[in-house]
Amino acid sequence: MLKKIARLRRAKSTRSHIRQLGVPRLSVLRTGQHLYAQLFSSDGSTVLAAASTTQADVREGLKNGKNADAAVKVGRAIAEKALAAGIEKVAFDRSGYRYHGRIKALADAAREGGLKF
């Protein structure tokens, strides 16, 4: 439980800094089975785009939804949806997770897809 509390504390401080920037926020949620990415408006009230390993178009060709390959597909999908919505510059909210593994793979794929962090 202490590990989760520490992660949420880190996420809270990051989100307060992102709020001051006034740009859309690319938020990541990592579970044991899946990976989710959502693009929130600058005030945080609306979801502009979303992608996850539970979606059929992302899931096809994947062995499971919890590895780096799945993270790359989610990163590409969220970048495509963000560019379609007219959003190019975002702030990356890693939700307190270390920038490593699946989180890093998602971020790199989103950058390759055309998003600027």
Side-chain angles (χ1 to χ4, degrees):
M1 191 63 177
L2 294 176
K3 187 175 179 180
K4 182 178 178 182
I5 291 170
R7 181 186 69 79
L8 292 175
R9 179 187 50 79
R10 288 190 302 270
K12 185 178 176 183
S13 66
T14 302
R15 287 183 185 134
S16 68
H17 178 71
I18 290 172
R19 206 170 294 120
Q20 293 172 353
L21 295 175
V23 295
R25 173 171 61 102
L26 175 60
S27 182
V28 176
L29 174 66
R30 188 185 75 183
T31 66
Q33 297 296 319
H34 296 287
L35 190 65
Y36 304 87
Q38 290 182 317
L39 189 63
F40 290 97
S41 63
S42 58
D43 60 354
S45 63
T46 57
V47 177
L48 305 171
S52 71
T53 54
T54 60
Q55 295 174 339
D57 58 336
V58 175
R59 192 172 186 84
E60 72 181 41
L62 292 177
K63 183 178 177 184
N64 58 37
K66 56 185 177 179
N67 56 13
D69 296 333
V72 168
K73 287 192 83 168
V74 171
R76 288 184 188 141
I78 195 71
E80 289 173 9
K81 291 179 181 183
L83 293 176
I87 298 165
E88 188 174 314
K89 186 173 181 178
V90 298
F92 186 58
D93 177 13
R94 54 189 177 84
S95 300
Y97 300 115
R98 291 189 312 154
Y99 188 79
H100 178 268
R102 291 188 283 166
I103 303 297
K104 183 178 179 184
L106 186 142
D108 290 342
R111 280 191 189 102
E112 289 173 7
L115 288 182
K116 291 185 175 76
F117 294 8

